[in-house]
Amino acid sequence: MPETSSGDAPSILIIGTGFGGLGMAITLKKAGFHNFQILEKASDIGGTWRDNTYPGAACDIQSHLYSYSFEPKHDWSRKFGLQAEILDYLRHCVRKYDLAGHLKFDSEISEAKFDGQSSQWIIQLKNGGSLSADVLISATGQLNLPALPNIPGMDHFSGEQFHSARWNHECNLADKRVAVIGTGASAIQFVPEIAGKVKSLVLFQRSAPWVLRKPDRPFRHWEQALFKVLPPWDRLYRWLIYWKNESRALAFTRFNRLLDIYAWQGKREARKQVTDPEKFKHVIPDYQIGCKRVLISNDWYRALNRPNVTLVTEDIDHMDQYAVVTKDGAHYPVDVIIYGTGFRASEFLSPISIIGKNGRSLDETWANGASAFKGITVNGFPNFFMLYGPNTNLAHNSIIYMLESQFSYVLDAVKLLAKDPGMVMEVAGDRQNQYVSEIQSGLEGSVWSSGCHSWYLDASGKNTVNWPGFTFTYRWSTRRVDPDNYSFYRFPNRN
């Protein structure tokens, strides 16, 4: 039985069909709210798991935890899910919870503006269409906008070039001279997959990543069967993974020296697998482990050690028609360039223009850095909620856990709005400022503030991405909406 009955109010628009958007839709539907649409800019669901189809694409959180708690999958093929399998899981959820009728594909948003006359959000689509809704929920994620470097001469290169998140499967890499720019989480996965197929691979590294072993393997058939016939064991297994991961929060946020054991493990793996002394000099990072995203792989160092792989640490100066040229004048002729340069994680909701009640855009509001109350609501933007918003990213556990906390919070807000159709809610400015101040204070002692430059930081050096604590404390803080943190009001023209 649903928890409540909503009728037709409020009307809701959800942006995005990744784990956030689909999970929010399922949560609403299970609670009896059916008046919602899910807008998707592409022609299929899946978010980052639809976009990132590069060779070796996989998750770095264990499968049983990187899935909805309310929809366990007992037959994961591996301990760490592969891209295709995760996408199939999301498609299964769409079918099981009958979301197809709520999906609106090829509906990229150019602008969402709050209209005080109607007390609704008016959404303009790039295809010329428009929509309106009482509630707007953003589930665009933080890893959806590929970051391309600004290298002189990129437009002059005559060969193929593409970002790893927009992999060109028509480009045959066999026996090609390939350049890979970047050594982040995606490159860690696709470089080992292609290194043995290409003629040569030149890897341009700005800074070495910390890489640890990935405790991955296929599940045995009897293990999958046990998860299915004994659901309590499946739940216990998930619970054990959660607490093992959660224990690492202390090292990232308060007791950074605890990370030294992981640094020792990373160095040990490098020494075992990188036998080329010149390459080894450049694979151990010069910053504290954890300051940037810690990566996991069992074949990264072996790939670097291959004789056909050249590791370049000199800065790139420019590109010409046939090559990448570094600042020392070295010329690296290549046929294909692949950018493993990550995402614009701190540019939340970009390039959508979100305009609040006073005609002020979210970009203007966030001129000094993105911030939100509990990472979900922003003063000046009534009935607007974000999933995976500012300072809700994790370095130690599953983002799905954080998202489910947000689902619960947003659902509670929707229930409040449903009690009085036409009412809007807006987080109080002083409550938001106090919350953001506490978050930034909590980040001061974290490993992310130890001096390196990472995608956790915006252009001004402010950490607008990570959550500085335990996930269970976030769950507790989002268990319900405290009306005292919000203003509830009605615009004159709304009955």
Side-chain angles (χ1 to χ4, degrees):
M1 293 291 291
E3 299 174 18
T4 186
S5 178
S6 65
D8 292 327
S11 57
I12 303 168
L13 282 177
I14 301 170
I15 309 172
T17 61
F19 269 97
L22 296 180
M24 186 73 250
I26 294 168
T27 301
L28 289 168
K29 198 165 189 179
K30 289 172 70 174
F33 292 92
H34 302 279
N35 190 12
F36 64 85
Q37 281 187 298
I38 317 169
L39 304 182
E40 172 54 58
K41 64 182 179 180
S43 57
D44 194 7
I45 64 127
T48 191
W49 297 108
R50 175 200 61 236
D51 294 341
N52 287 271
T53 60
Y54 58 80
C59 190
D60 58 4
I61 293 292
Q62 298 90 329
S63 304
H64 283 76
L65 193 58
Y66 197 83
S67 49
Y68 299 126
S69 63
F70 54 80
E71 187 57 33
K73 174 178 166 62
H74 308 300
D75 60 347
W76 287 107
S77 65
R78 307 185 63 85
K79 287 198 168 188
F80 292 80
L82 303 175
Q83 175 266 334
E85 190 171 19
I86 295 171
L87 184 56
D88 284 344
Y89 170 79
L90 289 174
R91 288 172 174 157
H92 156 79
C93 291
V94 169
R95 292 191 299 270
K96 178 172 179 178
Y97 294 96
D98 195 21
L99 296 181
H102 297 274
L103 294 167
K104 188 175 178 62
F105 293 117
D106 302 310
S107 299
E108 186 171 2
I109 298 174
S110 59
E111 179 186 272
K113 184 176 183 178
F114 185 79
D115 177 33
Q117 296 293 316
S118 63
S119 302
Q120 289 189 317
W121 283 93
I122 309 301
I123 285 80
Q124 302 295 333
L125 303 179
K126 285 195 173 181
N127 62 18
S130 65
L131 300 163
S132 64
D134 299 317
V135 173
L136 181 64
I137 303 173
S138 166
T140 58
Q142 293 183 12
L143 305 179
N144 69 95
L145 288 173
L148 285 170
N150 184 20
I151 301 172
M154 288 174 65
D155 293 340
H156 298 152
F157 181 68
S158 61
E160 294 281 355
Q161 54 179 322
F162 53 87
H163 192 280
S164 62
R166 303 293 185 266
W167 195 271
N168 182 1
H169 292 277
E170 299 300 315
C171 179
N172 184 2
L173 299 179
D175 296 322
K176 296 286 180 61
R177 299 170 300 174
V178 176
V180 173
I181 299 176
T183 54
S186 299
I188 287 288
Q189 295 183 338
F190 73 75
V191 165
E193 294 290 321
I194 68 173
K197 303 173 183 177
V198 302
K199 179 178 181 180
S200 63
L201 192 153
V202 184
L203 181 62
F204 293 90
Q205 173 183 279
R206 185 169 58 181
S207 62
W210 282 104
V211 183
L212 304 179
R213 285 194 60 79
K214 186 176 186 178
D216 189 25
R217 65 168 175 81
F219 280 114
R220 301 175 180 88
H221 292 306
W222 67 264
E223 291 176 304
Q224 295 171 325
L226 189 61
F227 288 136
K228 183 176 182 179
V229 302
L230 197 61
W233 167 238
D234 182 279
R235 297 297 84 188
L236 176 61
Y237 182 75
R238 177 186 170 98
W239 182 83
L240 292 172
I241 294 171
Y242 169 79
W243 283 108
K244 179 183 178 181
N245 291 353
E246 189 71 356
S247 65
R248 298 181 297 187
L250 281 172
F252 282 99
T253 60
R254 288 295 175 270
F255 304 107
N256 301 164
R257 303 320 306 178
L258 293 174
L259 292 167
D260 288 349
I261 183 65
Y262 295 110
W264 176 81
Q265 292 173 352
K267 292 175 183 177
R268 182 184 63 179
E269 287 302 313
R271 289 192 188 95
K272 285 168 55 178
Q273 298 183 38
V274 182
T275 59
D276 183 324
E278 187 59 30
K279 289 179 180 177
F280 180 76
K281 289 192 303 186
H282 300 291
V283 300
I284 304 300
D286 58 2
Y287 56 87
Q288 186 173 357
I289 186 171
C291 187
K292 297 186 180 184
R293 183 175 177 179
V294 179
L295 308 178
I296 54 175
S297 173
N298 295 328
D299 46 17
W300 170 250
Y301 288 129
R302 282 198 296 270
L304 293 189
N305 201 51
R306 294 181 61 91
N308 69 327
V309 174
T310 301
L311 181 62
V312 179
T313 58
E314 185 72 22
D315 288 343
I316 295 173
D317 183 74
H318 69 277
M319 296 177 186
D320 62 25
Q321 189 175 359
Y322 304 109
V324 179
V325 183
T326 51
K327 290 188 180 298
D328 61 357
H331 196 260
Y332 297 92
V334 292
D335 305 307
V336 180
I337 299 174
I338 304 173
Y339 299 100
T341 43
F343 299 88
R344 290 148 56 187
S346 62
E347 297 181 32
F348 301 88
L349 286 156
S350 181
I352 302 172
S353 177
I354 307 291
I355 302 174
K357 67 177 184 180
N358 295 319
R360 185 177 173 85
S361 73
L362 199 57
D363 286 342
E364 291 172 318
T365 302
W366 284 351
N368 295 319
S371 62
F373 183 69
K374 300 186 186 296
I376 300 173
T377 54
V378 181
N379 177 256
F381 297 81
N383 288 8
F384 173 61
F385 305 91
M386 287 180 290
L387 305 175
Y388 201 4
N391 294 114
T392 62
N393 182 66
L394 300 175
H396 70 284
N397 217 330
S398 174
I399 190 60
I400 309 303
Y401 186 91
M402 296 290 277
L403 285 172
E404 291 191 2
S405 300
Q406 294 162 12
F407 299 161
S408 176
Y409 189 87
V410 175
L411 174 62
D412 201 34
V414 169
K415 288 179 179 178
L416 289 173
L417 294 171
K419 292 178 180 179
D420 192 354
M423 188 70 71
V424 300
M425 61 187 295
E426 177 187 354
V427 66
D430 60 336
R431 300 299 175 93
Q432 179 181 329
N433 291 338
Q434 179 184 352
Y435 176 85
V436 171
S437 178
E438 291 171 355
I439 292 297
Q440 291 301 316
S441 294
L443 287 164
E444 288 176 2
S446 72
V447 70
W448 309 305
S449 62
S450 61
C452 72
H453 178 74
S454 73
W455 60 267
Y456 300 142
L457 310 180
D458 64 14
S460 67
K462 180 180 179 182
N463 190 331
T464 60
V465 173
N466 283 353
W467 169 251
F470 293 109
T471 61
F472 61 79
T473 61
Y474 185 79
R475 168 85 37 115
W476 176 257
S477 74
T478 54
R479 68 194 184 281
R480 64 178 181 84
V481 172
D482 183 349
D484 290 342
N485 293 323
Y486 288 83
S487 297
F488 293 83
Y489 54 90
R490 186 186 301 275
F491 284 88
N493 295 322
R494 184 71 183 257
N495 294 325

